Amino acid sequence: MENTPDFRQIENRNYLSPTGFYFTVVRAPKVGFFGYQVNVPGLDLSVATQPNYLTNIPRAGEKITFGDLTLNFLVDEDLTNYLEIQNWMRGLGFPESLDQIYDWQSQDVPQNYPHNYKDESELNLYSDGTLAIYNSADNPNFKVNFKDMFPSSLSSLQFDSQVQDVQYLTASVTFKYSIYNITDVVCC
């Protein structure tokens, strides 16, 4: 009986709602506030091939590749959230001069910024982020914690004077990161 599989029924039969989430980026808090769509990135496991005289046999590999984290957000009329990401990327890529990265690194670090980086110069380069996923009762159920994030792509803003109805501008930012972990939110 010890090796018998567990065939009990699922206790919670509620489905996960795609609207129950909140995303925060420590380094860019205004972007997360206006976020309306975000993904939990997929994983790819490398595959090794075991040669065989009949056919090659696939075997589980050793390295996992994490997909990109993409956040779509509404752009506020002062461009505050859009510029948070754009300035971060300009600080990383220094398109005009090397001084841009030094200026970016020397900026004040946000108060809620975790001080878990080995090198102080990394404080403004990377950021942690958290995606809180809510259950059917609108309570936090899971957290997806992203480590060492940085923006790798920011969409353009498309203005159009021929739009008939009000359509607020949206933008998309893609983040790279070192790893993410999904954890339970322990309640009460």
Side-chain angles (χ1 to χ4, degrees), residues 6 18 20 48 63 71 85 106 119 128 132 167:
D6 187 5
K63 293 186 180 181
L71 173 69
I85 299 298
S106 67
D119 184 357
D128 292 344
Q167 295 177 358

PDB file of all heavy atoms in Angstrom, residues 6 18 20 48 63 71 85 106 119 128 132 167:
ATOM      1  N   ASP A   6      -1.795   8.413  -5.102  1.00  0.00           N
ATOM      2  CA  ASP A   6      -2.840   9.146  -4.409  1.00  0.00           C
ATOM      3  C   ASP A   6      -3.891   9.586  -5.423  1.00  0.00           C
ATOM      4  O   ASP A   6      -3.639  10.448  -6.262  1.00  0.00           O
ATOM      5  CB  ASP A   6      -2.244  10.363  -3.703  1.00  0.00           C
ATOM      6  CG  ASP A   6      -3.248  11.068  -2.826  1.00  0.00           C
ATOM      7  OD1 ASP A   6      -4.369  10.567  -2.683  1.00  0.00           O
ATOM      8  OD2 ASP A   6      -2.881  12.123  -2.280  1.00  0.00           O
ATOM      9  N   PRO A  18      -7.663  35.298 -14.721  1.00  0.00           N
ATOM     10  CA  PRO A  18      -6.575  36.076 -15.305  1.00  0.00           C
ATOM     11  C   PRO A  18      -6.581  37.543 -14.877  1.00  0.00           C
ATOM     12  O   PRO A  18      -5.642  38.282 -15.177  1.00  0.00           O
ATOM     13  CB  PRO A  18      -6.819  35.951 -16.813  1.00  0.00           C
ATOM     14  CG  PRO A  18      -8.288  35.745 -16.934  1.00  0.00           C
ATOM     15  CD  PRO A  18      -8.684  34.968 -15.709  1.00  0.00           C
ATOM     16  N   GLY A  20      -6.902  38.565 -11.589  1.00  0.00           N
ATOM     17  CA  GLY A  20      -6.523  38.697 -10.187  1.00  0.00           C
ATOM     18  C   GLY A  20      -5.025  38.731  -9.977  1.00  0.00           C
ATOM     19  O   GLY A  20      -4.427  37.712  -9.623  1.00  0.00           O
ATOM     20  N   ALA A  48      19.242  16.583 -24.069  1.00  0.00           N
ATOM     21  CA  ALA A  48      20.432  15.882 -24.539  1.00  0.00           C
ATOM     22  C   ALA A  48      19.973  14.708 -25.400  1.00  0.00           C
ATOM     23  O   ALA A  48      18.880  14.173 -25.208  1.00  0.00           O
ATOM     24  CB  ALA A  48      21.254  15.388 -23.360  1.00  0.00           C
ATOM     25  N   LYS A  63      20.214  22.411 -18.305  1.00  0.00           N
ATOM     26  CA  LYS A  63      20.001  23.851 -18.185  1.00  0.00           C
ATOM     27  C   LYS A  63      18.567  24.228 -18.507  1.00  0.00           C
ATOM     28  O   LYS A  63      17.981  23.742 -19.466  1.00  0.00           O
ATOM     29  CB  LYS A  63      20.940  24.607 -19.119  1.00  0.00           C
ATOM     30  CG  LYS A  63      22.381  24.478 -18.721  1.00  0.00           C
ATOM     31  CD  LYS A  63      23.255  25.347 -19.584  1.00  0.00           C
ATOM     32  CE  LYS A  63      24.705  25.184 -19.146  1.00  0.00           C
ATOM     33  NZ  LYS A  63      25.589  26.026 -19.931  1.00  0.00           N
ATOM     34  N   LEU A  71       5.392  43.057 -19.463  1.00  0.00           N
ATOM     35  CA  LEU A  71       4.351  43.820 -18.784  1.00  0.00           C
ATOM     36  C   LEU A  71       3.783  44.837 -19.754  1.00  0.00           C
ATOM     37  O   LEU A  71       4.532  45.607 -20.362  1.00  0.00           O
ATOM     38  CB  LEU A  71       4.923  44.548 -17.555  1.00  0.00           C
ATOM     39  CG  LEU A  71       3.987  45.522 -16.856  1.00  0.00           C
ATOM     40  CD1 LEU A  71       2.850  44.786 -16.157  1.00  0.00           C
ATOM     41  CD2 LEU A  71       4.752  46.379 -15.855  1.00  0.00           C
ATOM     42  N   ILE A  85      11.040  53.535 -17.153  1.00  0.00           N
ATOM     43  CA  ILE A  85      11.688  52.452 -17.884  1.00  0.00           C
ATOM     44  C   ILE A  85      12.690  53.005 -18.890  1.00  0.00           C
ATOM     45  O   ILE A  85      13.813  52.504 -19.015  1.00  0.00           O
ATOM     46  CB  ILE A  85      10.640  51.564 -18.594  1.00  0.00           C
ATOM     47  CG1 ILE A  85       9.696  50.934 -17.571  1.00  0.00           C
ATOM     48  CG2 ILE A  85      11.322  50.508 -19.445  1.00  0.00           C
ATOM     49  CD1 ILE A  85      10.358  50.013 -16.568  1.00  0.00           C
ATOM     50  N   SER A 106      24.805  56.441  -9.727  1.00  0.00           N
ATOM     51  CA  SER A 106      24.962  57.288  -8.542  1.00  0.00           C
ATOM     52  C   SER A 106      23.648  57.889  -8.066  1.00  0.00           C
ATOM     53  O   SER A 106      23.618  58.568  -7.046  1.00  0.00           O
ATOM     54  CB  SER A 106      25.964  58.406  -8.821  1.00  0.00           C
ATOM     55  OG  SER A 106      25.438  59.298  -9.793  1.00  0.00           O
ATOM     56  N   ASP A 119      27.705  44.115  -4.983  1.00  0.00           N
ATOM     57  CA  ASP A 119      28.425  45.311  -5.396  1.00  0.00           C
ATOM     58  C   ASP A 119      27.452  46.490  -5.373  1.00  0.00           C
ATOM     59  O   ASP A 119      26.396  46.445  -6.001  1.00  0.00           O
ATOM     60  CB  ASP A 119      28.979  45.084  -6.808  1.00  0.00           C
ATOM     61  CG  ASP A 119      29.837  46.224  -7.302  1.00  0.00           C
ATOM     62  OD1 ASP A 119      29.964  47.231  -6.584  1.00  0.00           O
ATOM     63  OD2 ASP A 119      30.380  46.105  -8.411  1.00  0.00           O
ATOM     64  N   ASP A 128      14.456  43.807  -8.237  1.00  0.00           N
ATOM     65  CA  ASP A 128      13.596  42.662  -8.002  1.00  0.00           C
ATOM     66  C   ASP A 128      12.160  43.073  -8.296  1.00  0.00           C
ATOM     67  O   ASP A 128      11.815  44.261  -8.265  1.00  0.00           O
ATOM     68  CB  ASP A 128      13.721  42.170  -6.563  1.00  0.00           C
ATOM     69  CG  ASP A 128      15.087  41.570  -6.273  1.00  0.00           C
ATOM     70  OD1 ASP A 128      15.817  41.267  -7.250  1.00  0.00           O
ATOM     71  OD2 ASP A 128      15.429  41.404  -5.103  1.00  0.00           O
ATOM     72  N   ALA A 132       1.927  39.321  -7.555  1.00  0.00           N
ATOM     73  CA  ALA A 132       1.004  38.709  -6.591  1.00  0.00           C
ATOM     74  C   ALA A 132      -0.199  38.188  -7.381  1.00  0.00           C
ATOM     75  O   ALA A 132      -0.802  38.915  -8.166  1.00  0.00           O
ATOM     76  CB  ALA A 132       0.556  39.727  -5.555  1.00  0.00           C
ATOM     77  N   GLN A 167      -8.896  56.307 -26.813  1.00  0.00           N
ATOM     78  CA  GLN A 167      -8.135  55.085 -26.594  1.00  0.00           C
ATOM     79  C   GLN A 167      -6.829  55.513 -25.930  1.00  0.00           C
ATOM     80  O   GLN A 167      -5.998  56.154 -26.557  1.00  0.00           O
ATOM     81  CB  GLN A 167      -7.847  54.367 -27.916  1.00  0.00           C
ATOM     82  CG  GLN A 167      -9.079  53.855 -28.597  1.00  0.00           C
ATOM     83  CD  GLN A 167      -8.747  53.208 -29.934  1.00  0.00           C
ATOM     84  OE1 GLN A 167      -7.615  53.178 -30.367  1.00  0.00           O
ATOM     85  NE2 GLN A 167      -9.766  52.691 -30.592  1.00  0.00           N
TER      86      GLN A 167
END
